[in-house]
Amino acid sequence: MGWRRVLFFIMALALVCVASACKNVTETVEPVLPTKLSEKEMPDDDKIKIGFSMDTLEEERWLRDRDLFKAAVEALGAEVEIKAANGDDSEQILQAEKLISEGVDLLVVVPHNAEATAAIVNKAHLAGIRVISYDRLVKNSDIDLYVSFDNEKVGELQAEAITKLVPKGKYVYIGGADTDNNAHLLKKGVFNVLQPLIDKGDITVVYDQWTKNWLPENAFANMEAALAANNNQIDAVIAANDATAGKVIEALEKQGLAGKIPVAGQDAELMAAQRIVQGTQTMTVYKPIKTLAQEVAELAVRMAKGKYIDTDRKVNNGKTEVPSVLLAPIAVDKENMDETVIRDGFHTREDVYR
Ligand code: BGC
């Protein structure tokens, strides 16, 4: 063999290796789908049925999610069956099993418990049904897609707003439910901003507790405990959502401190927007639920028709790199209330400034 042919042979071999290495990388980052799923192909005219398994309808936002998701799925010519589990893990699993046995084409889950709901994903996959995590991530499972807001960013927006007002002092952190992955992301975001100030000695976190099951009465008890333990000497409060922030403010009111201590929340609930313009809550974080509901509805219908969805962004859920879509949250205070939640039609001007 002449040297030219040897060189050509080596180059060809190298090219084959590079190509197959690239292919492997692509393949390994893709979630592994049960064979039954990847083979599934639906005729386009078949009516798709989506199952929506929700944790709760407790907060204002979840009613909105339910209604907007239903409308978005129906606008795409598909139907949706919705069940809410009232914060009960076994109830959520039973309800999901019912949806699976009724033969839904795809399941969308808002998990109450990030770990327990992995059982739903396994059961759905055994039945050849793909599962999308809506707003909250199902952990340690082969969940097919995760669509949410950037929850770490939500926490950062809260802490940035509050540290601007209170660069030094005693902080209270009222977290979400520790069974909800979002609560951990929110807290991470808050501490991304607080930690350098804690390290400098400017800020001390004098109280930091989860709110069991996100129940506002638990946040109230935590805030009362924080005030009592610190002789009311608190300079700022960051609460994981508006429902808990509302109870924080109630506890502050009892001590004559409402409106004197900055409080952050999230969700842009109507009552929070009202408290912001009245001055007892400093800020909230607005997450355009309509965009989330529409995005999930579109992806759910495409997936139910057997299309494979991949995304640039991946989030590790403890078992796999989950293809993810993370939407941008928006910080809202009394300065930008009109050009955010009101302009978007999330709340009317009359309702906010009643
Ligand atoms: C959601 C928040 C909500 C909270 C309590 C979180 O996972 O992201 O918007 O307020 O759950 O339901």
PDB file of all heavy atoms in Angstrom, residues 55-56 58-59 61-62 110-111 135-136 148-149 151 180-183 186 213-214 240-243 266-267 269 287 289, ligand 1:
ATOM      1  N   ASP A  55     -51.829  18.387  41.823  1.00  0.00           N
ATOM      2  CA  ASP A  55     -51.672  18.212  43.266  1.00  0.00           C
ATOM      3  C   ASP A  55     -52.874  18.794  43.990  1.00  0.00           C
ATOM      4  O   ASP A  55     -53.526  18.143  44.803  1.00  0.00           O
ATOM      5  CB  ASP A  55     -50.370  18.913  43.689  1.00  0.00           C
ATOM      6  CG  ASP A  55     -50.304  19.251  45.166  1.00  0.00           C
ATOM      7  OD1 ASP A  55     -51.020  18.606  45.940  1.00  0.00           O
ATOM      8  OD2 ASP A  55     -49.528  20.156  45.543  1.00  0.00           O
ATOM      9  N   THR A  56     -53.171  20.041  43.697  1.00  0.00           N
ATOM     10  CA  THR A  56     -54.138  20.784  44.495  1.00  0.00           C
ATOM     11  C   THR A  56     -54.772  21.902  43.674  1.00  0.00           C
ATOM     12  O   THR A  56     -54.234  22.286  42.632  1.00  0.00           O
ATOM     13  CB  THR A  56     -53.408  21.415  45.715  1.00  0.00           C
ATOM     14  OG1 THR A  56     -54.312  22.239  46.438  1.00  0.00           O
ATOM     15  CG2 THR A  56     -52.242  22.287  45.294  1.00  0.00           C
ATOM     16  N   GLU A  58     -55.658  24.541  45.646  1.00  0.00           N
ATOM     17  CA  GLU A  58     -55.631  25.421  46.810  1.00  0.00           C
ATOM     18  C   GLU A  58     -55.318  26.890  46.461  1.00  0.00           C
ATOM     19  O   GLU A  58     -56.104  27.772  46.731  1.00  0.00           O
ATOM     20  CB  GLU A  58     -54.594  24.878  47.802  1.00  0.00           C
ATOM     21  CG  GLU A  58     -54.566  25.531  49.156  1.00  0.00           C
ATOM     22  CD  GLU A  58     -55.854  25.278  49.959  1.00  0.00           C
ATOM     23  OE1 GLU A  58     -56.436  24.189  49.813  1.00  0.00           O
ATOM     24  OE2 GLU A  58     -56.248  26.184  50.693  1.00  0.00           O
ATOM     25  N   GLU A  59     -54.156  27.125  45.828  1.00  0.00           N
ATOM     26  CA  GLU A  59     -53.814  28.519  45.506  1.00  0.00           C
ATOM     27  C   GLU A  59     -54.577  28.984  44.273  1.00  0.00           C
ATOM     28  O   GLU A  59     -54.919  28.194  43.401  1.00  0.00           O
ATOM     29  CB  GLU A  59     -52.311  28.685  45.237  1.00  0.00           C
ATOM     30  CG  GLU A  59     -51.463  28.790  46.490  1.00  0.00           C
ATOM     31  CD  GLU A  59     -50.954  27.433  46.910  1.00  0.00           C
ATOM     32  OE1 GLU A  59     -51.214  26.461  46.163  1.00  0.00           O
ATOM     33  OE2 GLU A  59     -50.322  27.337  47.976  1.00  0.00           O
ATOM     34  N   ARG A  61     -53.522  30.340  41.705  1.00  0.00           N
ATOM     35  CA  ARG A  61     -52.888  30.048  40.421  1.00  0.00           C
ATOM     36  C   ARG A  61     -53.332  28.718  39.824  1.00  0.00           C
ATOM     37  O   ARG A  61     -53.485  28.588  38.619  1.00  0.00           O
ATOM     38  CB  ARG A  61     -51.354  30.072  40.512  1.00  0.00           C
ATOM     39  CG  ARG A  61     -50.743  28.955  41.303  1.00  0.00           C
ATOM     40  CD  ARG A  61     -49.321  28.673  40.826  1.00  0.00           C
ATOM     41  NE  ARG A  61     -49.288  28.067  39.501  1.00  0.00           N
ATOM     42  CZ  ARG A  61     -48.196  27.726  38.880  1.00  0.00           C
ATOM     43  NH1 ARG A  61     -47.032  27.954  39.431  1.00  0.00           N
ATOM     44  NH2 ARG A  61     -48.226  27.139  37.704  1.00  0.00           N
ATOM     45  N   TRP A  62     -53.567  27.712  40.677  1.00  0.00           N
ATOM     46  CA  TRP A  62     -53.852  26.374  40.128  1.00  0.00           C
ATOM     47  C   TRP A  62     -55.213  26.316  39.441  1.00  0.00           C
ATOM     48  O   TRP A  62     -55.421  25.522  38.528  1.00  0.00           O
ATOM     49  CB  TRP A  62     -53.724  25.298  41.217  1.00  0.00           C
ATOM     50  CG  TRP A  62     -52.324  25.218  41.771  1.00  0.00           C
ATOM     51  CD1 TRP A  62     -51.941  25.440  43.062  1.00  0.00           C
ATOM     52  CD2 TRP A  62     -51.111  24.909  41.045  1.00  0.00           C
ATOM     53  NE1 TRP A  62     -50.578  25.292  43.190  1.00  0.00           N
ATOM     54  CE2 TRP A  62     -50.043  24.970  41.975  1.00  0.00           C
ATOM     55  CE3 TRP A  62     -50.826  24.594  39.720  1.00  0.00           C
ATOM     56  CZ2 TRP A  62     -48.714  24.727  41.612  1.00  0.00           C
ATOM     57  CZ3 TRP A  62     -49.512  24.352  39.355  1.00  0.00           C
ATOM     58  CH2 TRP A  62     -48.472  24.413  40.291  1.00  0.00           C
ATOM     59  N   VAL A 110     -48.730  17.569  37.796  1.00  0.00           N
ATOM     60  CA  VAL A 110     -48.186  18.562  38.735  1.00  0.00           C
ATOM     61  C   VAL A 110     -47.993  17.775  40.030  1.00  0.00           C
ATOM     62  O   VAL A 110     -48.967  17.500  40.731  1.00  0.00           O
ATOM     63  CB  VAL A 110     -49.171  19.714  39.023  1.00  0.00           C
ATOM     64  CG1 VAL A 110     -48.520  20.753  39.935  1.00  0.00           C
ATOM     65  CG2 VAL A 110     -49.682  20.350  37.752  1.00  0.00           C
ATOM     66  N   PRO A 111     -46.772  17.357  40.330  1.00  0.00           N
ATOM     67  CA  PRO A 111     -46.607  16.468  41.483  1.00  0.00           C
ATOM     68  C   PRO A 111     -46.801  17.162  42.823  1.00  0.00           C
ATOM     69  O   PRO A 111     -46.301  18.272  43.018  1.00  0.00           O
ATOM     70  CB  PRO A 111     -45.162  15.990  41.346  1.00  0.00           C
ATOM     71  CG  PRO A 111     -44.476  17.041  40.562  1.00  0.00           C
ATOM     72  CD  PRO A 111     -45.501  17.639  39.648  1.00  0.00           C
ATOM     73  N   ASP A 135     -44.872  22.447  35.702  1.00  0.00           N
ATOM     74  CA  ASP A 135     -44.457  23.419  36.729  1.00  0.00           C
ATOM     75  C   ASP A 135     -43.497  22.848  37.772  1.00  0.00           C
ATOM     76  O   ASP A 135     -42.553  23.501  38.167  1.00  0.00           O
ATOM     77  CB  ASP A 135     -45.666  24.062  37.429  1.00  0.00           C
ATOM     78  CG  ASP A 135     -45.244  25.268  38.252  1.00  0.00           C
ATOM     79  OD1 ASP A 135     -45.001  26.328  37.651  1.00  0.00           O
ATOM     80  OD2 ASP A 135     -45.117  25.161  39.495  1.00  0.00           O
ATOM     81  N   ARG A 136     -43.776  21.629  38.268  1.00  0.00           N
ATOM     82  CA  ARG A 136     -42.898  21.011  39.269  1.00  0.00           C
ATOM     83  C   ARG A 136     -42.282  19.743  38.688  1.00  0.00           C
ATOM     84  O   ARG A 136     -42.967  18.982  37.995  1.00  0.00           O
ATOM     85  CB  ARG A 136     -43.699  20.626  40.507  1.00  0.00           C
ATOM     86  CG  ARG A 136     -44.378  21.772  41.205  1.00  0.00           C
ATOM     87  CD  ARG A 136     -45.225  21.212  42.324  1.00  0.00           C
ATOM     88  NE  ARG A 136     -45.886  22.260  43.081  1.00  0.00           N
ATOM     89  CZ  ARG A 136     -46.866  22.023  43.948  1.00  0.00           C
ATOM     90  NH1 ARG A 136     -47.275  20.784  44.154  1.00  0.00           N
ATOM     91  NH2 ARG A 136     -47.422  23.010  44.612  1.00  0.00           N
ATOM     92  N   SER A 148     -41.635  24.433  32.911  1.00  0.00           N
ATOM     93  CA  SER A 148     -41.865  25.238  34.112  1.00  0.00           C
ATOM     94  C   SER A 148     -41.329  26.646  33.885  1.00  0.00           C
ATOM     95  O   SER A 148     -40.964  27.007  32.769  1.00  0.00           O
ATOM     96  CB  SER A 148     -41.140  24.592  35.299  1.00  0.00           C
ATOM     97  OG  SER A 148     -41.388  25.303  36.487  1.00  0.00           O
ATOM     98  N   PHE A 149     -41.267  27.404  34.968  1.00  0.00           N
ATOM     99  CA  PHE A 149     -40.555  28.675  34.946  1.00  0.00           C
ATOM    100  C   PHE A 149     -39.181  28.417  35.551  1.00  0.00           C
ATOM    101  O   PHE A 149     -38.966  27.385  36.186  1.00  0.00           O
ATOM    102  CB  PHE A 149     -41.331  29.723  35.751  1.00  0.00           C
ATOM    103  CG  PHE A 149     -42.622  30.085  35.090  1.00  0.00           C
ATOM    104  CD1 PHE A 149     -43.794  29.390  35.371  1.00  0.00           C
ATOM    105  CD2 PHE A 149     -42.662  31.089  34.136  1.00  0.00           C
ATOM    106  CE1 PHE A 149     -44.979  29.701  34.723  1.00  0.00           C
ATOM    107  CE2 PHE A 149     -43.834  31.405  33.481  1.00  0.00           C
ATOM    108  CZ  PHE A 149     -44.996  30.712  33.779  1.00  0.00           C
ATOM    109  N   ASN A 151     -37.294  28.560  38.248  1.00  0.00           N
ATOM    110  CA  ASN A 151     -37.600  28.792  39.666  1.00  0.00           C
ATOM    111  C   ASN A 151     -36.414  29.328  40.472  1.00  0.00           C
ATOM    112  O   ASN A 151     -36.593  30.044  41.450  1.00  0.00           O
ATOM    113  CB  ASN A 151     -38.139  27.509  40.298  1.00  0.00           C
ATOM    114  CG  ASN A 151     -39.545  27.227  39.832  1.00  0.00           C
ATOM    115  OD1 ASN A 151     -40.485  27.895  40.241  1.00  0.00           O
ATOM    116  ND2 ASN A 151     -39.697  26.276  38.926  1.00  0.00           N
ATOM    117  N   ASP A 180     -41.601  19.559  47.520  1.00  0.00           N
ATOM    118  CA  ASP A 180     -41.754  20.140  46.179  1.00  0.00           C
ATOM    119  C   ASP A 180     -40.380  20.615  45.699  1.00  0.00           C
ATOM    120  O   ASP A 180     -39.756  21.465  46.341  1.00  0.00           O
ATOM    121  CB  ASP A 180     -42.752  21.313  46.277  1.00  0.00           C
ATOM    122  CG  ASP A 180     -42.906  22.078  44.958  1.00  0.00           C
ATOM    123  OD1 ASP A 180     -42.236  21.726  43.965  1.00  0.00           O
ATOM    124  OD2 ASP A 180     -43.689  23.045  44.943  1.00  0.00           O
ATOM    125  N   ASN A 181     -39.929  20.073  44.576  1.00  0.00           N
ATOM    126  CA  ASN A 181     -38.608  20.448  44.050  1.00  0.00           C
ATOM    127  C   ASN A 181     -38.492  21.961  43.838  1.00  0.00           C
ATOM    128  O   ASN A 181     -37.426  22.540  44.017  1.00  0.00           O
ATOM    129  CB  ASN A 181     -38.358  19.693  42.738  1.00  0.00           C
ATOM    130  CG  ASN A 181     -36.948  19.884  42.233  1.00  0.00           C
ATOM    131  OD1 ASN A 181     -35.993  19.593  42.933  1.00  0.00           O
ATOM    132  ND2 ASN A 181     -36.818  20.397  41.024  1.00  0.00           N
ATOM    133  N   ASN A 182     -39.600  22.598  43.473  1.00  0.00           N
ATOM    134  CA  ASN A 182     -39.560  24.056  43.263  1.00  0.00           C
ATOM    135  C   ASN A 182     -39.116  24.790  44.527  1.00  0.00           C
ATOM    136  O   ASN A 182     -38.410  25.789  44.453  1.00  0.00           O
ATOM    137  CB  ASN A 182     -40.939  24.590  42.854  1.00  0.00           C
ATOM    138  CG  ASN A 182     -41.246  24.306  41.400  1.00  0.00           C
ATOM    139  OD1 ASN A 182     -40.378  23.861  40.656  1.00  0.00           O
ATOM    140  ND2 ASN A 182     -42.473  24.553  40.992  1.00  0.00           N
ATOM    141  N   ALA A 183     -39.562  24.299  45.684  1.00  0.00           N
ATOM    142  CA  ALA A 183     -39.210  24.967  46.945  1.00  0.00           C
ATOM    143  C   ALA A 183     -37.686  24.997  47.103  1.00  0.00           C
ATOM    144  O   ALA A 183     -37.116  25.986  47.574  1.00  0.00           O
ATOM    145  CB  ALA A 183     -39.876  24.255  48.111  1.00  0.00           C
ATOM    146  N   LEU A 186     -36.222  27.544  44.531  1.00  0.00           N
ATOM    147  CA  LEU A 186     -36.485  28.927  44.970  1.00  0.00           C
ATOM    148  C   LEU A 186     -35.484  29.324  46.047  1.00  0.00           C
ATOM    149  O   LEU A 186     -34.884  30.397  46.002  1.00  0.00           O
ATOM    150  CB  LEU A 186     -37.905  29.038  45.556  1.00  0.00           C
ATOM    151  CG  LEU A 186     -39.075  28.779  44.602  1.00  0.00           C
ATOM    152  CD1 LEU A 186     -40.382  28.598  45.363  1.00  0.00           C
ATOM    153  CD2 LEU A 186     -39.203  29.939  43.608  1.00  0.00           C
ATOM    154  N   ASN A 213     -46.337  21.326  53.317  1.00  0.00           N
ATOM    155  CA  ASN A 213     -47.446  21.268  52.345  1.00  0.00           C
ATOM    156  C   ASN A 213     -47.854  22.625  51.777  1.00  0.00           C
ATOM    157  O   ASN A 213     -48.954  22.772  51.278  1.00  0.00           O
ATOM    158  CB  ASN A 213     -48.675  20.594  52.955  1.00  0.00           C
ATOM    159  CG  ASN A 213     -48.516  19.100  52.969  1.00  0.00           C
ATOM    160  OD1 ASN A 213     -47.811  18.527  52.123  1.00  0.00           O
ATOM    161  ND2 ASN A 213     -49.136  18.450  53.926  1.00  0.00           N
ATOM    162  N   TRP A 214     -47.010  23.615  51.890  1.00  0.00           N
ATOM    163  CA  TRP A 214     -47.293  24.972  51.397  1.00  0.00           C
ATOM    164  C   TRP A 214     -48.500  25.583  52.120  1.00  0.00           C
ATOM    165  O   TRP A 214     -49.111  26.529  51.608  1.00  0.00           O
ATOM    166  CB  TRP A 214     -47.593  24.985  49.900  1.00  0.00           C
ATOM    167  CG  TRP A 214     -46.449  24.827  48.943  1.00  0.00           C
ATOM    168  CD1 TRP A 214     -46.115  23.703  48.252  1.00  0.00           C
ATOM    169  CD2 TRP A 214     -45.512  25.828  48.503  1.00  0.00           C
ATOM    170  NE1 TRP A 214     -45.042  23.948  47.426  1.00  0.00           N
ATOM    171  CE2 TRP A 214     -44.651  25.239  47.563  1.00  0.00           C
ATOM    172  CE3 TRP A 214     -45.327  27.185  48.833  1.00  0.00           C
ATOM    173  CZ2 TRP A 214     -43.623  25.934  46.928  1.00  0.00           C
ATOM    174  CZ3 TRP A 214     -44.296  27.875  48.203  1.00  0.00           C
ATOM    175  CH2 TRP A 214     -43.464  27.251  47.264  1.00  0.00           C
ATOM    176  N   ALA A 240     -41.807  32.067  50.147  1.00  0.00           N
ATOM    177  CA  ALA A 240     -41.693  31.313  48.891  1.00  0.00           C
ATOM    178  C   ALA A 240     -42.852  31.529  47.934  1.00  0.00           C
ATOM    179  O   ALA A 240     -42.711  31.266  46.742  1.00  0.00           O
ATOM    180  CB  ALA A 240     -41.504  29.838  49.188  1.00  0.00           C
ATOM    181  N   ASN A 241     -44.009  31.969  48.428  1.00  0.00           N
ATOM    182  CA  ASN A 241     -45.088  32.350  47.496  1.00  0.00           C
ATOM    183  C   ASN A 241     -46.001  33.392  48.149  1.00  0.00           C
ATOM    184  O   ASN A 241     -45.793  33.771  49.320  1.00  0.00           O
ATOM    185  CB  ASN A 241     -45.866  31.126  46.975  1.00  0.00           C
ATOM    186  CG  ASN A 241     -46.737  30.466  48.031  1.00  0.00           C
ATOM    187  OD1 ASN A 241     -46.717  30.838  49.205  1.00  0.00           O
ATOM    188  ND2 ASN A 241     -47.503  29.476  47.611  1.00  0.00           N
ATOM    189  N   ASP A 242     -46.987  33.842  47.388  1.00  0.00           N
ATOM    190  CA  ASP A 242     -47.849  34.913  47.905  1.00  0.00           C
ATOM    191  C   ASP A 242     -48.778  34.427  49.014  1.00  0.00           C
ATOM    192  O   ASP A 242     -49.133  35.198  49.916  1.00  0.00           O
ATOM    193  CB  ASP A 242     -48.684  35.514  46.764  1.00  0.00           C
ATOM    194  CG  ASP A 242     -47.847  36.406  45.856  1.00  0.00           C
ATOM    195  OD1 ASP A 242     -46.794  36.913  46.320  1.00  0.00           O
ATOM    196  OD2 ASP A 242     -48.242  36.613  44.688  1.00  0.00           O
ATOM    197  N   ALA A 243     -49.199  33.158  48.933  1.00  0.00           N
ATOM    198  CA  ALA A 243     -50.103  32.645  49.968  1.00  0.00           C
ATOM    199  C   ALA A 243     -49.380  32.656  51.317  1.00  0.00           C
ATOM    200  O   ALA A 243     -49.958  33.056  52.342  1.00  0.00           O
ATOM    201  CB  ALA A 243     -50.571  31.245  49.608  1.00  0.00           C
ATOM    202  N   GLN A 266     -44.323  35.326  45.584  1.00  0.00           N
ATOM    203  CA  GLN A 266     -44.334  35.034  44.142  1.00  0.00           C
ATOM    204  C   GLN A 266     -45.705  34.502  43.779  1.00  0.00           C
ATOM    205  O   GLN A 266     -46.403  33.962  44.637  1.00  0.00           O
ATOM    206  CB  GLN A 266     -43.267  34.006  43.758  1.00  0.00           C
ATOM    207  CG  GLN A 266     -43.549  32.619  44.273  1.00  0.00           C
ATOM    208  CD  GLN A 266     -43.231  31.506  43.290  1.00  0.00           C
ATOM    209  OE1 GLN A 266     -43.214  31.707  42.082  1.00  0.00           O
ATOM    210  NE2 GLN A 266     -42.979  30.319  43.817  1.00  0.00           N
ATOM    211  N   ASP A 267     -46.066  34.639  42.546  1.00  0.00           N
ATOM    212  CA  ASP A 267     -47.294  34.139  41.908  1.00  0.00           C
ATOM    213  C   ASP A 267     -48.157  35.279  41.367  1.00  0.00           C
ATOM    214  O   ASP A 267     -49.059  35.034  40.580  1.00  0.00           O
ATOM    215  CB  ASP A 267     -48.199  33.276  42.816  1.00  0.00           C
ATOM    216  CG  ASP A 267     -47.683  31.858  43.000  1.00  0.00           C
ATOM    217  OD1 ASP A 267     -46.856  31.426  42.169  1.00  0.00           O
ATOM    218  OD2 ASP A 267     -48.106  31.194  43.958  1.00  0.00           O
ATOM    219  N   GLU A 269     -50.544  36.759  42.850  1.00  0.00           N
ATOM    220  CA  GLU A 269     -51.955  36.549  43.208  1.00  0.00           C
ATOM    221  C   GLU A 269     -52.631  37.904  43.364  1.00  0.00           C
ATOM    222  O   GLU A 269     -51.978  38.892  43.727  1.00  0.00           O
ATOM    223  CB  GLU A 269     -52.051  35.812  44.549  1.00  0.00           C
ATOM    224  CG  GLU A 269     -51.747  34.345  44.438  1.00  0.00           C
ATOM    225  CD  GLU A 269     -52.187  33.548  45.667  1.00  0.00           C
ATOM    226  OE1 GLU A 269     -52.559  34.167  46.689  1.00  0.00           O
ATOM    227  OE2 GLU A 269     -52.157  32.308  45.590  1.00  0.00           O
ATOM    228  N   LYS A 287     -45.503  35.003  36.971  1.00  0.00           N
ATOM    229  CA  LYS A 287     -45.175  33.923  36.028  1.00  0.00           C
ATOM    230  C   LYS A 287     -46.377  33.794  35.088  1.00  0.00           C
ATOM    231  O   LYS A 287     -47.449  33.390  35.527  1.00  0.00           O
ATOM    232  CB  LYS A 287     -44.942  32.615  36.796  1.00  0.00           C
ATOM    233  CG  LYS A 287     -43.808  32.729  37.808  1.00  0.00           C
ATOM    234  CD  LYS A 287     -43.519  31.427  38.531  1.00  0.00           C
ATOM    235  CE  LYS A 287     -44.656  30.970  39.380  1.00  0.00           C
ATOM    236  NZ  LYS A 287     -44.313  29.800  40.230  1.00  0.00           N
ATOM    237  N   ILE A 289     -48.856  32.324  33.482  1.00  0.00           N
ATOM    238  CA  ILE A 289     -49.383  30.952  33.493  1.00  0.00           C
ATOM    239  C   ILE A 289     -49.941  30.563  32.119  1.00  0.00           C
ATOM    240  O   ILE A 289     -49.879  29.409  31.719  1.00  0.00           O
ATOM    241  CB  ILE A 289     -50.514  30.835  34.549  1.00  0.00           C
ATOM    242  CG1 ILE A 289     -50.050  31.284  35.928  1.00  0.00           C
ATOM    243  CG2 ILE A 289     -51.090  29.424  34.601  1.00  0.00           C
ATOM    244  CD1 ILE A 289     -49.122  30.369  36.619  1.00  0.00           C
TER     245      ILE A 289
HETATM  246  C1  BGC B   1     -45.396  26.732  42.455  1.00  0.00           C
HETATM  247  C2  BGC B   1     -45.891  28.023  43.037  1.00  0.00           C
HETATM  248  C3  BGC B   1     -47.002  27.724  44.039  1.00  0.00           C
HETATM  249  C4  BGC B   1     -46.568  26.669  45.028  1.00  0.00           C
HETATM  250  C5  BGC B   1     -47.686  26.245  45.966  1.00  0.00           C
HETATM  251  C6  BGC B   1     -44.962  25.804  43.560  1.00  0.00           C
HETATM  252  O1  BGC B   1     -44.478  24.620  43.062  1.00  0.00           O
HETATM  253  O2  BGC B   1     -44.353  26.964  41.533  1.00  0.00           O
HETATM  254  O3  BGC B   1     -46.339  28.872  42.015  1.00  0.00           O
HETATM  255  O4  BGC B   1     -47.373  28.882  44.733  1.00  0.00           O
HETATM  256  O5  BGC B   1     -46.093  25.537  44.361  1.00  0.00           O
HETATM  257  O6  BGC B   1     -48.712  25.638  45.303  1.00  0.00           O
END
